[in-house]
Amino acid sequence: MIRHLLAACAAAVVLAAPARAEDVVRLGNLKFAHYGAISYMKEIAPKFGLKIDERQFAKGADIYPAMAVDQIDIAASGGDGAVAARGNGVKLLVVAGFADGGVRILKRPDLAAKSAADLKGLKVATVRGGTQDLMLLAELDKHGLTWSERPGKDVQLTYFNNYADLNQALAQKYVDVICQSEPQSTQAISAGWGVELVKPYDTPIGKPVRPLVMTEKMYNERPEVAQKVLNLFVAATKAFIDDPALAEKYVREQVFKGQLSSQDFRDGMANASYTYAMPAGHMQTTADYMVKYGLGKMQNPPKSDAEWVKLDLLEKAKADLKVN
């Protein structure tokens, strides 16, 4: 009788025990249209036994100091930010690509320039430390143009700290040309402040792919959580790819809080796409060109993708969710 009573009590305790708490993952993210699927991860995270604690930063370079002191577990940024962080000792790994494209070079509407080759003598601006910075320099280099923040070179560069100020500088004709991200470049076009000069994808860097990165600590010490994160990422991205209306609604209403029009979202995403892929060699090409142009001030630039591009979790997640 006592044995049966103890067994019944034990069963009751098991039945009454609360469900296991969700694993909390701290995400560093940016406010761009093509980063929307990364934000959407937090909405469906409970289905994967996760809670995504998202923190938005002004630009990618701002995320990695937080990652270095164990305040961020995963992050979405341009490839240049990830390369610079890795090259300066932040222990992170690239585990997927999440978006490509998303950059335009715009000129003032009254300028006669037809291509980047016509930028000699003009004042060109961008945001320092972002994908658009690297893409701008690669485009200038392709056309044999020199540049400096001081007068005396073919192109005088001006750097801004945020993307809204970049648009305002073009609108006020403080600068002649800007290299801008999405949807801010589309918004500048629709407002009549600028017209597209070129999408700078015709250099050896190609179309820039944004990496999803993860700390080595999570990858090595929390492998089950790390795998759930990649399964969640693939599911969120697939949802946006399969249902463009969902992507638009979420980005416009939740990410931009109604401050992005339907047309601007669609025009911006015509110059970017959600993806899972990280092409072989892309991160190393990014690193090589950053070294060439002196970007990132790296102590130990990455020497090969094999050092820090780890796509095994992505491939398993795609297999688990039956995604090509």
Side-chain angles (χ1 to χ4, degrees):
M1 175 69 70
I2 293 175
R3 185 183 304 121
H4 291 312
L5 183 60
L6 290 174
C9 289
V13 169
V14 171
L15 289 173
R20 181 181 174 183
E22 296 163 341
D23 290 302
V24 177
V25 176
R26 300 163 299 176
L27 164 67
N29 199 12
L30 304 178
K31 188 178 177 180
F32 295 119
H34 44 301
Y35 286 59
I38 299 297
S39 289
Y40 187 65
M41 288 169 62
K42 65 180 179 288
E43 309 297 340
I44 61 172
K47 297 178 182 179
F48 294 83
L50 297 170
K51 178 181 179 182
I52 299 296
D53 182 7
E54 182 185 29
R55 178 180 168 190
Q56 285 197 341
F57 291 79
K59 52 189 178 184
D62 297 339
I63 297 175
Y64 295 104
M67 181 171 273
V69 295
D70 197 28
Q71 295 177 354
I72 295 292
D73 302 305
I74 60 173
S77 78
D80 55 292
V83 168
R86 176 77 185 189
N88 285 310
V90 181
K91 296 182 178 180
L92 58 84
L93 302 171
V94 172
V95 294
F98 68 87
D100 61 23
V103 181
R104 294 183 213 250
I105 297 177
L106 307 179
K107 66 172 184 174
R108 289 188 353 231
D110 58 313
L111 291 181
K114 301 293 185 183
S115 75
D118 301 324
L119 296 184
K120 187 172 182 178
L122 299 182
K123 194 171 183 179
V124 180
T126 191
V127 172
R128 189 186 301 277
T131 298
Q132 63 288 328
D133 188 2
L134 176 61
M135 301 304 291
L136 171 62
L137 300 188
E139 190 70 20
L140 296 177
D141 189 22
K142 176 191 173 185
H143 294 284
L145 298 173
T146 60
W147 60 85
S148 174
E149 292 180 65
R150 297 179 179 180
K153 299 294 184 179
D154 293 333
V155 171
Q156 184 176 348
L157 294 181
T158 299
Y159 284 101
F160 288 84
N161 290 322
N162 66 67
Y163 300 90
D165 288 348
L166 194 60
N167 277 3
Q168 288 301 313
L170 188 66
Q172 295 168 11
K173 299 185 179 182
Y174 178 74
V175 298
D176 303 308
V177 174
I178 64 173
C179 191
Q180 179 66 291
S181 191
E182 295 291 0
Q184 288 84 357
S185 71
T186 293
Q187 290 174 317
I189 293 170
S190 64
W193 301 332
V195 296
E196 181 179 310
L197 187 67
V198 65
K199 296 181 181 73
Y201 308 149
D202 55 351
T203 76
I205 299 171
K207 186 177 287 189
V209 179
R210 276 53 168 203
L212 178 66
V213 304
M214 175 181 290
T215 62
E216 289 187 3
K217 180 178 180 180
M218 171 165 280
Y219 182 88
N220 292 323
E221 298 180 13
R222 302 170 68 192
E224 292 184 2
V225 175
Q227 186 62 65
K228 288 196 289 185
V229 168
L230 266 294
N231 283 40
L232 169 60
F233 160 71
V234 169
T237 302
K238 184 177 188 300
F240 270 32
I241 292 173
D242 290 350
D243 190 349
L246 168 67
E248 178 179 337
K249 179 179 175 63
Y250 186 79
V251 170
R252 291 182 58 220
E253 295 181 3
Q254 301 302 318
V255 178
F256 284 87
K257 307 300 182 184
Q259 297 178 339
L260 181 66
S261 73
S262 176
Q263 192 61 53
D264 282 349
F265 172 82
R266 295 181 186 189
D267 289 347
M269 288 308 300
N271 182 33
S273 59
Y274 303 113
T275 186
Y276 320 101
M278 175 52 68
H282 184 73
M283 293 305 300
Q284 190 55 47
T285 300
T286 300
D288 292 344
Y289 274 83
M290 288 179 65
V291 171
K292 179 178 181 180
Y293 303 139
L295 299 179
K297 300 179 181 178
M298 293 176 280
Q299 298 176 355
N300 295 292
K303 298 296 190 295
S304 73
D305 279 6
E307 292 179 5
W308 66 304
V309 178
K310 307 293 182 183
L311 304 181
D312 54 311
L313 301 180
L314 174 65
E315 294 308 314
K316 185 177 187 307
K318 290 169 64 179
D320 288 347
L321 278 71
K322 297 180 174 55
V323 172
N324 294 327

